[in-house]
Amino acid sequence: MAPPDSSAAPGSGGSGGRRPPWRKLWNWGLPALLLPLALLLNPDEARHREALRQAIDAQHPVAAGFGAQELADLPVSYHSVGLLSWTRHDRDLTTVGAFGQVVAVGKRGRTAASPGRW
């Protein structure tokens, strides 16, 4: 039986402590691919307003029939940091968006998909 490789780092499996080449690709390539993708897919203000309209329709179908979608036209401030965007009405967070998806957030952190009233 051959003696173990003494130049290998402990726990490295005897490979001399070198990382496989695919690890560099994974560590640098994936973020390099995701960053431009996130910047391109960041939703604009119109998509945030549409998500707000859909949330109002889902939460209050009767009120939506009477024109409650106009609540989505309230003055909201749109903010974006490139990778992530959000809208606020007064001090309340109303929508959050990233990677082309927008989620309407109600009071106390409820989303449009969760039960309960806004």
Side-chain angles (χ1 to χ4, degrees):
M1 178 165 195
D5 185 10
S6 62
S7 65
S12 66
S15 65
R18 284 185 269 150
R19 299 167 109 189
W22 61 267
R23 290 289 298 236
K24 282 186 181 180
L25 179 65
W26 181 260
N27 289 342
W28 290 100
L30 189 63
L33 182 71
L34 289 179
L35 183 65
L37 188 65
L39 291 171
L40 288 174
L41 294 177
N42 190 18
D44 60 352
E45 186 174 359
R47 293 184 71 182
H48 280 271
R49 287 189 183 276
E50 183 59 32
L52 197 54
R53 279 188 190 92
Q54 289 175 357
I56 292 170
D57 287 347
Q59 291 289 322
H60 308 286
V62 174
F66 291 106
Q69 295 99 343
E70 292 176 8
L71 292 173
D73 295 330
L74 289 173
V76 294
S77 56
Y78 172 79
H79 306 277
S80 176
V81 291
L83 303 175
L84 177 74
S85 56
W86 65 92
T87 58
R88 288 185 170 274
H89 174 59
D90 291 333
R91 293 183 181 162
D92 295 328
L93 185 66
T94 54
T95 58
V96 177
F99 287 100
Q101 301 296 315
V102 180
V103 176
V105 180
K107 293 185 180 181
R108 293 178 296 279
R110 292 188 178 136
T111 63
S114 66
R117 298 187 57 174
W118 275 35

